[in-house]
Amino acid sequence: EFAKMHKLVARQQQARRDPRLAAKLKRAIARGEEFDDISDSDDDDDSDDEDIHIKGAVNTTDIMADAKRKRMSKAEKLEKIIEGRVKFETKERAGGSTNTEKKRKKNFAMSKFSFDTRKKMGEKTTAKMGRKQERSKLD
């Protein structure tokens, strides 16, 4: 029992120093496999790869990335595609497009010389003239 306790303490100390090992232990806790490497079925001290350290050598578990997602089966892929289609096909409002949508989507060349644009341009030029008159009064 003391050997197992020493292993557990050593593993926790190493986890404090190594963030990758800490993440690995966190995932093991989430899966409920926290004490699997300390269990009774693992009595051989020679089988521990963590005890062997060669200077300059890199452990493969340190290099390899963790798999984020499992590969989806064809049925899962199709289900996800159909779910996305249904989400985008449904509209919030019944009926056609609103006047604001039509105005936004209208071709710019058509609206370039429209009455609203000409009126807006007139307002801008009168505003410019007003600023010019104010400047000339100040000078």
Side-chain angles (χ1 to χ4, degrees):
E1 293 298 317
F2 286 114
K4 289 180 186 178
M5 289 173 54
H6 286 296
K7 264 189 181 180
L8 182 61
V9 170
R11 185 175 70 171
Q12 288 175 344
Q13 288 175 349
Q14 190 176 6
R16 285 190 199 124
R17 287 177 275 155
D18 187 11
R20 290 181 189 216
L21 182 62
K24 186 178 175 183
L25 288 175
K26 189 175 180 182
R27 286 190 302 271
I29 290 169
R31 287 190 306 253
E33 302 168 358
E34 186 176 3
F35 302 109
D36 282 357
D37 59 343
I38 304 175
S39 65
D40 289 333
S41 62
D42 176 61
D43 287 337
D44 294 334
D45 291 336
D46 296 335
S47 65
D48 289 339
D49 291 335
E50 295 174 0
D51 295 340
I52 300 171
H53 181 71
I54 301 170
K55 187 175 181 179
V58 180
N59 193 355
T60 56
T61 57
D62 294 339
I63 298 173
M64 292 176 58
D66 295 329
K68 290 188 178 182
R69 287 189 288 177
K70 288 179 102 177
R71 210 167 167 182
M72 291 192 296
S73 67
K74 189 170 184 176
E76 291 171 335
K77 287 179 189 176
L78 288 172
E79 184 179 320
K80 188 175 179 183
I81 290 168
I82 291 170
E83 181 182 317
R85 287 181 186 169
V86 170
K87 184 172 71 173
F88 282 104
E89 282 179 1
T90 58
K91 289 188 176 183
E92 298 170 7
R93 177 183 45 79
S97 58
T98 62
N99 288 338
T100 53
E101 285 177 328
K102 289 176 184 174
K103 196 180 284 187
R104 184 170 32 94
K105 290 182 179 180
K106 191 169 187 178
N107 188 1
F108 175 72
M110 293 174 73
S111 61
K112 186 176 179 181
F113 299 109
S114 67
F115 179 73
D116 289 336
T117 308
R118 283 183 278 158
K119 188 169 76 171
K120 211 188 298 184
M121 291 305 292
E123 290 171 359
K124 287 182 182 177
T125 54
T126 53
K128 284 182 187 177
M129 288 188 157
R131 277 186 258 140
K132 283 183 184 177
Q133 288 175 356
E134 287 177 11
R135 284 187 199 146
S136 62
K137 288 180 186 177
L138 292 175
D139 290 335

